[in-house]
Amino acid sequence: MAASILDLKITDVQLERYAKMIYKSTGIVISPQKKTLLSNRLRRRLKATGIADFDAYFKHLQTLKADDPEWDAFLQEITTHETFLFRDEPNWNWFQNTYLPEISQQAKQGKRPKSLRIWSAACSTGDEAATIAACIAGCLPQFTQWKISIVGTDIGIGAVEKARAAEFGLRAMRLVPDGFKRRFFQKDASGEQWRAKPVLTDMTKFNPHNLLDVLSESPFDLVFVKNVLIYFDTASKKKVLANIRQKMKPQGMLICGAAEGISDLLDGLERVYPWLYRTP
Ligand SMILES: C[S@@+](CC[C@H](N)C(=O)[O-])C[C@H]1O[C@@H](n2cnc3c(N)ncnc32)[C@H](O)[C@@H]1O
């Protein structure tokens, strides 16, 4: 009797082969401890595609282009998309109460143009980009006179599509201050989703991008790269940070996750807080 997909467990050889493929294409490290998790995730793709086993699915993946929906579905299974608005309070306190007032003052004194370019790298479904936009709309005086560009990127095409829709569930919205909710978001008829208003979405755009590649955009004043490098090894972290550095303006700010494990890899950047760095 043929074994059912539910009985399939990935072998050590298969795990190694998949881990190599995932590492090469994303920088994410799949450790041997993730064997059961990977088996479960891959079984879902076997079920969805009707492919009989892990070896056949591996061969199938090798034939796909980077923008193939099945490749994206595979990546969605192996990546973590957890995100929500106003995640990591210290970041947003600094952004609203220190950074935005400072650049406003500098612009008033003619020391900088009224323009601001921000990259939300590995943005998942766009919650971080929406938070950035809400802080700007709420805290940067006369922000409509500024040229603001918030670029969100993620390796997941499905995530980028969701980010473009700018819709957020109640859980994702739970830390958004009430005043910001009322001014910048609209609740839908079901009462389960909030949609960002044009005042926010006019500032944002989203594109697929792999952090292992250099982004084709002009340099940014601020780069947020949070809760993604934790999944990478030192070699991939170094590569990503070098790629990001190329896209930062002088005196640019890098906002990282608190547990990213990159503090020793940020040579040449001034440390402001354990999660905040400045280019010379
Ligand atoms: C846990 S989410 C973090 C979202 C957001 N930065 C935050 O802190 O809330 C991690 C995201 O990293 C993305 N990701 C993983 N590897 C990537 C890579 N090589 N290039 C770009 N994005 C990647 C995943 O698709 C996922 O959406």
Side-chain angles (χ1 to χ4, degrees):
M1 198 175 77
S4 121
I5 284 177
L6 288 174
D7 300 326
L8 289 178
K9 288 203 177 63
I10 201 164
T11 64
D12 289 343
V13 174
Q14 288 169 330
L15 176 85
E16 204 182 316
R17 208 178 289 148
Y18 272 100
K20 262 190 198 151
M21 175 194 259
I22 293 166
Y23 179 73
K24 198 165 161 240
S25 48
T26 66
I28 294 172
V29 175
I30 303 288
S31 65
Q33 291 75 27
K34 298 259 172 78
K35 200 169 170 178
T36 309
L37 186 76
L38 190 64
S39 288
N40 295 342
R41 302 283 174 91
L42 285 177
R43 272 202 299 268
R44 290 212 279 255
R45 292 321 307 154
L46 296 188
K47 225 172 143 198
T49 55
I51 294 176
D53 59 54
F54 297 136
D55 284 335
Y57 186 65
F58 184 85
K59 277 194 196 127
H60 177 61
L61 286 176
Q62 284 179 311
T63 66
L64 303 178
K65 291 200 176 131
D67 60 355
D68 190 285
E70 184 50 37
W71 180 251
D72 192 50
F74 167 67
L75 285 185
Q76 302 255 5
E77 286 291 359
I78 54 147
T79 49
T80 307
H81 292 281
E82 166 73 358
T83 187
F84 47 92
L85 289 94
F86 285 89
R87 181 180 197 175
D88 304 324
E89 197 184 4
N91 300 169
W92 308 109
N93 288 342
W94 165 80
F95 187 52
Q96 294 179 88
N97 303 323
T98 303
Y99 185 76
L100 292 175
E102 258 172 34
I103 60 165
S104 167
Q105 194 60 22
Q106 287 164 1
K108 252 190 220 155
Q109 294 167 348
K111 292 181 182 162
R112 67 168 292 141
K114 285 188 172 178
S115 77
L116 189 56
R117 284 181 52 72
I118 304 178
W119 180 13
S120 172
C123 67
S124 188
T125 44
D127 305 42
E128 185 176 272
T131 308
I132 297 166
C135 290
I136 291 171
C139 303
L140 182 64
Q142 299 174 320
F143 78 97
T144 50
Q145 293 173 12
W146 284 63
K147 196 164 173 255
I148 308 275
S149 178
I150 303 166
V151 180
T153 63
D154 197 278
I155 198 169
I157 296 166
V160 166
E161 280 164 5
K162 283 190 187 153
R164 285 181 183 142
E167 284 169 357
F168 307 100
L170 300 181
R171 192 175 170 275
M173 291 288 291
R174 68 194 182 277
L175 298 181
V176 180
D178 283 343
F180 279 10
K181 263 189 202 159
R182 273 196 306 276
R183 286 165 68 195
F184 307 134
F185 296 86
Q186 178 83 48
K187 215 176 205 181
D188 77 356
S190 74
E192 299 290 315
Q193 293 277 333
W194 292 83
R195 189 168 204 294
K197 290 184 182 172
V199 61
L200 302 191
T201 54
D202 286 353
M203 289 185 235
T204 56
K205 69 170 183 180
F206 296 94
N207 286 315
H209 169 253
N210 188 338
L211 287 170
L212 299 178
D213 302 326
V214 178
L215 181 68
S216 6
E217 280 278 347
S218 45
F220 295 92
D221 299 279
L222 284 111
V223 180
F224 289 74
V225 59
K226 292 172 46 191
N227 306 304
V228 60
L229 296 177
I230 36 172
Y231 305 109
F232 289 27
D233 69 352
T234 302
S236 315
K237 285 179 190 184
K238 278 188 180 164
K239 185 162 192 195
V240 170
L241 290 170
N243 289 345
I244 288 177
R245 277 294 295 276
Q246 285 189 46
K247 292 292 152 183
M248 291 182 69
K249 291 185 185 176
Q251 295 290 299
M253 308 298 290
L254 180 66
I255 298 98
C256 309
E260 228 71 63
I262 50 174
S263 50
D264 294 340
L265 310 176
L266 289 163
D267 277 355
L269 291 187
E270 182 197 345
R271 180 175 142 148
V272 183
Y273 298 121
W275 48 266
L276 183 65
Y277 293 83
R278 187 183 355 241
T279 54

